[in-house]
Amino acid sequence: MKKVRYSILGLLGLAMVFIGCNDSGKSNGALSSSAAEKVYVAPGERDTYYAFLSGGYSGNLTVYGLPSGRMFKEIPVFSQFPTSGYGYSEETKPMLNTSFGFVPWDDLHHPDISQTNGELDGRWIFVNGNNTPRLARVSLSTFETEEIIEIPNSAGNHSSSFITENTEYVVAGTRFSVPVPQRDMPINEYKGNFKGALSFVSVAPDNGRLNLEFQVLMPGFNYDLSRPGRAKSHGWFFFSTYNTEEANSLLEVMASQNDKDFIAAVNWMKIEEYVKNGGGTKMAANYAHNVYDEHTHTGTSTMKKEVITVDPTEVPGAIYLLPTPKSPHGCDVDPTGQYIIGSGKLSADITVHSFDKMMAAIEGEKFDGEAYGIPILKFEEVLAGTVKSGGLGPLHTEFDDRGNAYTTFFISSEVVKWNVGTWEVLDRKPTYYSVGHLMIPGGNSRKPFAKYLVAMNKITKDRYLPTGPEMEHSAQIYDISGEKMELLYDFPTHGEPHYAAGCPAELLEPRSKKIYRLDENKHAYVTPSPDQARVERSGNEVHVYMSTIRSHFTPDNIEGIKVGDKVYFHITNHEQDFDVPHGFSIIGQNTSEILVMPGQTKTTLWEPKQVGVWPFYCTDFCSALHQEMQGYVRVSPANSNVELSWSLGE
């Protein structure tokens, strides 16, 4: 008996040796040393890729480096951001204006980088606001939000913000169908009465300026995600739909009755021509268009009052419906433009449609009925193939430059690699846990950069040290340069990333702006030199023209301010050196501090409510004498006769 026991213990010990070591004798642990080396960026060295991750309910966009996973910046877009004063400064408050008033938050989902000929060009990145339907354009030279346009007749702007392959349009599809125009009506009369608006917003090629050109008023389905046609399918746009049942309650049951929903194929070029020739109906609307001017450093908000709507039945041959297994979520197009992927999110299979077969089916009129006058193509006539994955819950697909696709499976928590054309599964790797979107730099273009894959997971659980009930979401980096995927690294993300866009660092790094030239500052309240600093009163409005440079404000002593005044501090940063911002805050300031970049002017409003002498100071550590960078404002009673005065060094 003892001999048997010793033999078993010996076998167990030998098994532990094999489990604890890989083929090279190194510990597996969380990362092998080779994996660690692949993500290590030495001090002073730089990452080779930028990754822009949506912040979801943070309302903002976060910038990371790959392969390190280091976060470089959070770009404020739809949410107020006290770190920089975005949405608090007088110049940026207009950026958050909407038809509902000032809305300082949104749910930012899907970034997409501008393209030329289907390849990333690195000029702008577009993002969507899901809650209050909006599109935003962010400059990739300043990494600042330059424009936000509200989308009328829409709700839950989810199948957005994806662009055509020459950035002719950025597209916004509504997730929730609603009455169009909005009106008071019973919710249970949804079916047949609500509409789903697909909005096409043009992008000016020289400056990126946005304009809502037309909206296609589709049946009242839910429009989930979208992708443009590219190469041979350029001119088309594809939208996944669910709830073709048009249910309005208990959708987890009632919106899963049909065996198939649709991918809507929209020939936007045909509709564009129709509108240019006078087609469509002008509809009264009310939506905000907010633009930030880099030269004046100021945002302005304009309310638009009209939009052109298009009835799809009035443009024959413009829209077709491709049956797709139940409740598809993702909708993706491969780099050649030939294959359109959309899979039922409770399925085990990945459904692939063929653009060529779609066109042949249209030509041959291979229809299987219609929905509200829109032809439905026969499923078998447009099906290119099915990937028998063995996973469960396919969601999103990205592509490499070697003819392979990578699909996330939410329920089985994995990424599956498969061949486009043979539909053969080539590899699979687990994710931790419940992966949603994934991103390959350029994976949504004609030219992917297939070195890394980032999986964005919905559940973190035990991947990091616990931080109470709330955990940051987790992303994982995989090396996909070889035949097999290799998990390299976990890193926490901010908010809830729904999608990401990435590009080589060399595309953006040379054009990244380092300072704003002071001699090009066209702000209405700029202080171009310290000798022009001053304080002016008009009634109870006081304007402080202030300059700042290491390590003082001009002026730094102000008297004659009264309780009840509205004091506008217009602060110009005179530095012309990279990475030397100055901050400003004053006690009792009911906004946030503001951070002023070199050569820039920003304004903060202060409304003193108490008599006293109140200090202000620089909030960003800028020099060895940073602590000395301060000043005082004397506030007198509202009926005081203290004269307005200001000084420096007196």
Side-chain angles (χ1 to χ4, degrees), residues 175-236:
R175 175 181 170 190
F176 310 114
S177 290
V178 292
V180 178
Q182 274 286 11
R183 58 194 180 275
D184 181 15
M185 64 175 292
I187 297 172
N188 62 12
E189 294 180 9
Y190 175 127
K191 191 167 187 176
N193 292 308
F194 285 24
K195 297 291 183 183
L198 307 182
S199 303
F200 286 76
V201 178
S202 64
V203 183
D206 54 345
N207 59 13
R209 192 62 56 88
L210 304 176
N211 186 61
L212 177 52
E213 296 291 343
F214 57 86
Q215 293 184 310
V216 183
L217 298 184
M218 295 285 285
F221 310 149
N222 291 53
Y223 297 84
D224 203 347
L225 279 163
S226 64
R227 281 293 194 275
R230 52 181 58 97
K232 64 165 52 186
S233 56
H234 176 56
W236 291 81

Side-chain angles (χ1 to χ4, degrees), residues 121-284:
D121 61 29
R123 292 176 293 165
W124 308 293
I125 189 166
F126 301 91
V127 294
N128 62 312
N130 187 44
N131 184 61
T132 303
R134 289 176 279 183
L135 288 174
R137 177 176 57 84
V138 175
S139 165
L140 288 181
S141 65
T142 64
F143 286 62
E144 291 190 351
T145 302
E146 289 190 333
E147 190 169 7
I148 297 177
I149 188 168
E150 189 179 359
I151 307 297
N153 299 325
S154 184
N157 173 34
H158 194 263
S159 49
S160 174
S161 51
F162 302 107
I163 59 168
T164 55
E165 69 169 14
N166 284 300
T167 320
E168 299 97 336
Y169 291 96
V170 56
V171 175
T174 188
R175 175 181 170 190
F176 310 114
S177 290
V178 292
V180 178
Q182 274 286 11
R183 58 194 180 275
D184 181 15
M185 64 175 292
I187 297 172
N188 62 12
E189 294 180 9
Y190 175 127
K191 191 167 187 176
N193 292 308
F194 285 24
K195 297 291 183 183
L198 307 182
S199 303
F200 286 76
V201 178
S202 64
V203 183
D206 54 345
N207 59 13
R209 192 62 56 88
L210 304 176
N211 186 61
L212 177 52
E213 296 291 343
F214 57 86
Q215 293 184 310
V216 183
L217 298 184
M218 295 285 285
F221 310 149
N222 291 53
Y223 297 84
D224 203 347
L225 279 163
S226 64
R227 281 293 194 275
R230 52 181 58 97
K232 64 165 52 186
S233 56
H234 176 56
W236 291 81
F237 225 96
F238 302 93
F239 297 82
S240 62
T241 73
Y242 66 101
N243 191 27
T244 53
E245 298 86 350
E246 298 179 80
N248 62 272
S249 182
L250 196 64
L251 265 65
E252 64 178 332
V253 175
M254 304 309 293
S256 298
Q257 300 301 301
N258 296 338
D259 286 336
K260 290 183 176 66
D261 291 290
F262 302 118
I263 286 179
V266 178
N267 188 330
W268 60 263
M269 280 188 171
K270 185 179 284 286
I271 298 172
E272 177 188 58
E273 181 181 14
Y274 170 76
V275 171
K276 286 181 177 178
N277 289 330
T281 302
K282 291 182 178 179
M283 179 182 289

Side-chain angles (χ1 to χ4, degrees), residues 1-16:
M1 179 65 70
K2 286 183 179 180
K3 289 183 179 180
V4 172
R5 183 179 300 164
Y6 293 152
S7 297
I8 292 172
L9 289 173
L11 288 171
L12 286 173
L14 184 61
M16 291 303 293

Side-chain angles (χ1 to χ4, degrees), residues 32 77 118 215 261 272 276 305 321 347 371 467 488 514 543 577 620 623:
S32 68
V77 182
Q215 293 184 310
D261 291 290
E272 177 188 58
K276 286 181 177 178
K305 298 297 182 182
L321 300 176
S347 174
T467 55
L488 300 180
K514 292 181 168 55
H543 292 269
D577 189 11
D620 190 271
S623 74

Side-chain angles (χ1 to χ4, degrees), residues 547-564:
S547 69
T548 178
I549 196 166
R550 288 167 286 185
S551 296
H552 62 272
F553 295 97
T554 304
D556 65 0
N557 280 201
I558 302 171
E559 300 192 17
I561 305 299
K562 303 176 184 180
V563 170

Side-chain angles (χ1 to χ4, degrees), residues 537 559-562 634 636-637 639-645:
R537 174 182 289 279
E559 300 192 17
I561 305 299
K562 303 176 184 180
R634 174 186 174 187
S636 302
N639 59 356
S640 169
N641 293 321
V642 175
E643 291 189 4
L644 196 64
S645 63

